[in-house]
Amino acid sequence: MPISIDRFDDEPDDVLDLQEGTQPYRVLQFLARNDDQAFTQTEIHEATDIKRGSVGAVLSRLEDRGLVRHRGRYWAIAEDDRLASFAAQAGASSASTTDDYEK
């Protein structure tokens, strides 16, 4: 989908540029909601329903962008200023989803 030239020219370079619902978005959303823990690729696969074979590629691309980090088998969200608003958004969307079920 194209964007306006004004948005192209004015958008800061540090914008995450992740589309909601994509695999990278879903992985970051999961890790942001659980920012106090680190997970294996299998655990991320099970939590996000992303195909097991795709999780590793997604994590590698996110690591290249500095958005996730890993040590050994475990992966966690990175400590990056760009992720602060993303984490707040992920928390807000999970809270609103939870609220719907508690009624």
Side-chain angles (χ1 to χ4, degrees), residues 69-80:
R69 56 197 165 115
H70 85 281
R71 184 172 301 142
R73 302 175 348 154
Y74 291 92
W75 293 81
I77 196 154
E79 295 175 6
D80 188 307

Side-chain angles (χ1 to χ4, degrees), residues 15-102:
V15 170
L16 288 182
D17 193 27
L18 292 172
Q19 295 215 347
E20 190 170 345
T22 62
Q23 291 179 350
Y25 184 95
R26 289 166 45 203
V27 168
L28 275 183
Q29 186 178 45
F30 170 71
L31 292 175
R33 287 180 181 158
N34 299 283
D35 62 352
D36 60 337
Q37 298 176 345
F39 300 88
T40 65
Q41 288 185 23
T42 300
E43 292 166 333
I44 294 169
H45 150 72
E46 291 170 351
T48 61
D49 290 327
I50 295 172
K51 291 182 182 177
R52 186 182 308 263
S54 299
V55 170
V58 169
L59 288 168
S60 292
R61 288 192 307 268
L62 291 172
E63 184 180 32
D64 289 345
R65 294 178 63 189
L67 301 175
V68 298
R69 56 197 165 115
H70 85 281
R71 184 172 301 142
R73 302 175 348 154
Y74 291 92
W75 293 81
I77 196 154
E79 295 175 6
D80 188 307
D81 291 340
R82 297 174 294 172
L83 294 168
S85 62
F86 184 85
Q89 178 185 355
S93 64
S94 68
S96 65
T97 302
T98 303
D99 291 345
D100 291 344
Y101 290 111
E102 291 180 3

